[in-house]
Amino acid sequence: MRERPVTLAEIEAGRPKSVDLPRPTAWPMVMAFGITLLFGGLVTNFAVSGVGGVLLLASAVGWFREVLPHEREETVPVLPLHEFPVSLRAKVARIGRERGPHRARLPIEIHPISAGVKGGLAGAVAMALLAVLYGVVKQGSVWYPINLLAAGASTRIAALPLEGLRQFHADALFLATVLHVLTSVMVGLLYGVMLPMFPRRPIVLGGVVAPMLWTGLLHATLDVVNPTLEARVDWPWFVVTQIGFGVVAGVIVTRTSVVRTMQFESFAVRAGIETPGLMGPDEPDGAP
């Protein structure tokens, strides 16, 4: 005998009229702000850490009082349902077995890793040429920007006087080359991942927006990390070199053909293992 379907009125009659929920409190936000000030004072001023400690202690006490010895609750009325979902399907719809993404899993296409490496190396060359041009025009030495870059990782080079930075140092050249190449390749790989997500204006993003963002970040933090280096950086020229890198790297990456991702495939297909049950009718054995 077929059971009678449950009506909306019967469901509403069986539902509670109210429910007890934890009372809203702002103490977690106060604690988070206190922790931020506590650690922020380590790089700014001890007074900031003091304020953060006071807020942290006060928020801990206030938060504990919200839950101990009894949790604070409030009664919230349960609103009645206006519509009852009813399916008109006679059978359960099932997704077909045809291969391909049936959900939005992004990105569907990406640039290969080699595109990021090539873009980073090309941008590194452009950035180095602009930096050397700055050294010749502003300081009268091609070694000044090289030594200045190495000074960011060497206290000995950072302690050199201005005249010493204009002279050749083999260890500074080696250190600056390693730092420049590694950093450029990593940023190039980041471009390879980031630029397909913004397909409309990739050159504007990679050549202007991104360089301006990390230049602002360095300008705000370099006086704390390395005050000696911050005092010697010519920021307008620094921005020019960053934009040069971004434009060249962005052009190289965006002109590279994209490849489709296989994230919707099974692990066996992505690993290249023979999977006869997943092969199409026109595919050879072991085809991905």
Side-chain angles (χ1 to χ4, degrees):
M1 185 176 181
R2 190 174 181 179
E3 296 183 0
R4 182 179 60 85
V6 182
T7 63
L8 179 59
E10 292 174 343
I11 294 178
E12 289 293 341
R15 296 179 63 192
K17 302 304 180 183
S18 63
V19 62
D20 293 334
L21 297 177
R23 180 185 301 173
T25 176
W27 289 120
M29 297 180 61
V30 177
M31 177 176 287
F33 184 58
I35 294 175
T36 303
L37 293 181
L38 185 65
F39 285 96
L42 299 178
V43 294
T44 55
N45 192 288
F46 178 74
V48 177
S49 296
V51 175
V54 172
L55 290 178
L56 178 61
L57 180 61
S59 61
V61 174
W63 197 355
F64 290 159
R65 294 184 62 182
E66 290 288 336
V67 296
L68 297 174
H70 302 288
E71 184 176 0
R72 307 295 194 274
E73 296 179 342
E74 65 177 7
T75 301
V76 178
V78 177
L79 299 178
L81 291 175
H82 297 288
E83 296 181 359
F84 184 67
V86 177
S87 176
L88 300 178
R89 292 182 179 270
K91 298 181 179 180
V92 177
R94 300 185 182 277
I95 298 176
R97 290 192 174 184
E98 61 274 6
R99 297 174 61 189
H102 57 273
R103 296 176 181 172
R105 298 186 180 182
L106 304 176
I108 297 178
E109 296 179 336
I110 61 173
H111 291 289
I113 297 177
S114 59
V117 175
K118 293 177 183 178
L121 293 177
V125 174
M127 184 177 178
L129 293 177
L130 291 173
V132 169
L133 178 63
Y134 158 73
V136 173
V137 173
K138 289 288 188 177
Q139 300 295 334
S141 171
V142 297
W143 305 114
Y144 181 83
I146 298 174
N147 294 330
L148 196 61
L149 175 59
S154 174
T155 56
R156 186 191 71 80
I157 301 175
L160 292 175
L162 181 61
E163 192 60 34
L165 292 176
R166 293 172 178 169
Q167 300 175 2
F168 170 76
H169 300 278
D171 56 342
L173 176 61
F174 174 77
L175 182 59
T177 302
V178 172
L179 290 174
H180 186 55
V181 171
L182 289 180
T183 305
S184 299
V185 170
M186 287 190 294
V187 176
L189 293 174
L190 179 62
Y191 273 34
V193 176
M194 181 177 61
L195 293 184
M197 301 181 185
F198 304 91
R200 293 188 176 182
R201 299 289 186 272
I203 303 303
V204 175
L205 173 68
V208 179
V209 177
M212 295 301 293
L213 288 177
W214 69 59
T215 299
L217 178 63
L218 286 175
H219 186 273
T221 59
L222 194 59
D223 58 340
V224 177
V225 178
N226 195 328
T228 304
L229 180 62
E230 194 274 339
R232 293 176 174 175
V233 173
D234 191 328
W235 289 106
W237 272 92
F238 184 84
V239 172
V240 171
T241 58
Q242 299 302 309
I243 292 178
F245 171 89
V247 170
V248 173
V251 169
I252 297 297
V253 171
T254 53
R255 289 187 176 182
T256 305
S257 300
V258 294
V259 295
R260 290 182 62 85
T261 61
M262 299 179 64
Q263 56 182 326
F264 56 86
E265 298 284 9
S266 65
F267 174 77
V269 174
R270 287 184 280 117
I273 304 173
E274 292 186 3
T275 52
L278 296 179
M279 292 186 303
D282 299 329
E283 295 177 350
D285 291 345

